[in-house]
Amino acid sequence: MPAKKPLKKAVLPVAGLGTRFLPATKVMAKEMLPVVDKPLIQYAVEEARAAGIEEFCFVTGRGKVMLVDQFDVAVELERTLTERGKQKELDMLHAQAVQPGSIITTRQQVPLGLGHAIWCARAFIGDDPFAILLPDDLMQCEVSCTKQLADAYNETGGNVVAVEEVPREIVNRYGVIDPGTTTGKLVEVKGLVEKPPVEQAPSNLTVIGRYVLMPEVIGHLSKMERGAGNEIQLTDSMAKLIGTQPFHGVLYEGKRFDCGDKAGYLEAQIAFALARPDMAPAMRGILQRYA
């Protein structure tokens, strides 16, 4: 078996219009919506960096330059903070900085689905394994969710997806795995189906927005085959890797918040505030006043 390549790349599909959050997203990218005091895109990048990932490709759409600006050096801001002696804020900005040249962008000119977005990053991916993080899925984990997947990749040498159980009646909203042998947190994936009818779903184990995939998936995506919703589904091309490469689900430890949904976004605000010593007392007081 050839030596595993290290996992150093991540693709973040961020071309969506965020229509569910209008009017807030009329001008601002939905991935810039903050949870407490940090935008969703930054949570995703920090999660990936905690897994040892060093290179990022943002698959963007028109008008989304703000996402890259978030990780740029803000010269005027830093100068003002220095002049005002705000060292704590300066140190925070420096700690969050990424290496120059570590973020690139590519455009998804037409909204043809997640699979198409990943295909748009094919030049960045090359012949390397890569992670995918969907910033709408905000993860609260003691060990970075992407790090949990990276560890599973290092163990299995193949494709890995984060999975969680959902009520059977809502499996038609997700990609669903056909599970094989379960060993600890690792579940063998025998099949994958995108948004199946409830009565035809092979399980209630669904794929969330965290993946580690082998570059061979690009060859399948390049065929541009339409799937559910008449879109190019990543799930369909991932399914074609099963049987040719190791493929596992990871029953990750932690909690996911669907920040593409208003209720999920509001819940994330509460959960992340309660997890912070500087914010928890205030949030508890607020909750008591409105309970």
Side-chain angles (χ1 to χ4, degrees):
M1 181 177 172
K4 292 186 294 291
K5 286 189 175 183
L7 179 65
K8 295 295 179 185
K9 294 181 177 180
V11 177
L12 286 82
V14 290
L17 296 174
T19 51
R20 283 187 283 179
F21 278 88
L22 286 169
T25 50
K26 181 180 177 182
V27 174
M28 184 173 70
K30 65 173 179 172
E31 296 84 7
M32 286 299 298
L33 291 171
V35 171
V36 186
D37 54 7
K38 190 185 297 184
L40 292 169
I41 187 72
Q42 191 161 331
Y43 281 105
V45 168
E46 290 180 2
E47 177 190 321
R49 291 179 73 190
I53 286 169
E54 300 170 353
E55 301 173 54
F56 300 86
C57 178
F58 293 176
V59 183
T60 67
R62 288 172 59 84
K64 289 207 153 187
V65 293
M66 191 184 297
L67 293 169
V68 180
D69 288 345
Q70 177 67 19
F71 299 93
D72 203 351
V73 177
V75 178
E76 299 87 349
L77 173 61
E78 293 196 11
R79 184 187 303 127
T80 302
L81 291 173
T82 301
E83 290 169 355
R84 295 180 180 176
K86 293 189 176 290
Q87 193 60 44
K88 178 182 172 185
E89 288 81 359
L90 263 175
D91 290 344
M92 177 188 67
L93 290 179
H94 292 158
Q96 294 171 352
V98 297
Q99 285 286 333
S102 61
I103 293 177
I104 70 164
T105 65
T106 188
R107 283 282 181 93
Q108 183 186 21
Q109 286 98 336
V110 284
L112 291 177
L114 178 58
H116 182 262
I118 302 306
W119 177 80
C120 289
R122 62 197 180 280
F124 167 80
I125 292 163
D127 295 324
D128 295 314
F130 64 103
I132 302 171
L133 296 91
L134 308 187
D136 279 3
D137 278 346
L138 178 58
M139 309 304 295
Q140 190 177 53
C141 308
E142 283 192 28
V143 175
S144 151
C145 185
T146 302
K147 173 73 162 65
Q148 294 180 49
L149 295 190
D151 290 344
Y153 161 69
N154 289 328
E155 181 182 338
T156 66
N159 303 277
V160 185
V161 294
V163 296
E164 68 180 16
E165 290 188 67
V166 302
R168 169 73 66 165
E169 60 268 20
I170 62 169
V171 291
N172 57 351
R173 302 178 193 173
Y174 301 93
V176 182
I177 71 167
D178 182 5
T181 306
T182 300
T183 309
K185 295 290 180 183
L186 273 183
V187 183
E188 178 191 8
V189 177
K190 298 193 299 181
L192 275 167
V193 59
E194 182 67 24
K195 298 183 174 68
V198 171
E199 62 278 4
Q200 295 176 23
S203 73
N204 68 333
L205 284 174
T206 60
V207 179
I208 66 161
R210 297 294 185 273
Y211 315 73
V212 172
L213 299 180
M214 301 304 101
E216 286 79 10
V217 75
I218 297 298
H220 296 294
L221 289 170
S222 67
K223 296 169 187 172
M224 297 291 154
E225 294 172 352
R226 302 294 182 102
N230 199 34
E231 293 183 334
I232 298 161
Q233 295 290 350
L234 179 61
T235 304
D236 296 341
S237 289
M238 284 163 45
K240 291 173 182 172
L241 301 175
I242 297 168
T244 65
Q245 298 175 332
F247 209 124
H248 292 84
V250 175
L251 292 158
Y252 71 93
E253 294 182 356
K255 184 165 174 57
R256 175 182 70 99
F257 298 91
D258 180 4
C259 289
D261 172 77
K262 289 176 186 173
Y265 178 67
L266 291 174
E267 184 182 355
Q269 302 284 0
I270 295 168
F272 275 73
L274 289 174
R276 285 178 42 167
D278 62 326
M279 293 297 301
M283 179 54 80
R284 287 195 192 96
I286 292 166
L287 291 173
Q288 285 169 0
R289 286 196 294 276
Y290 285 88

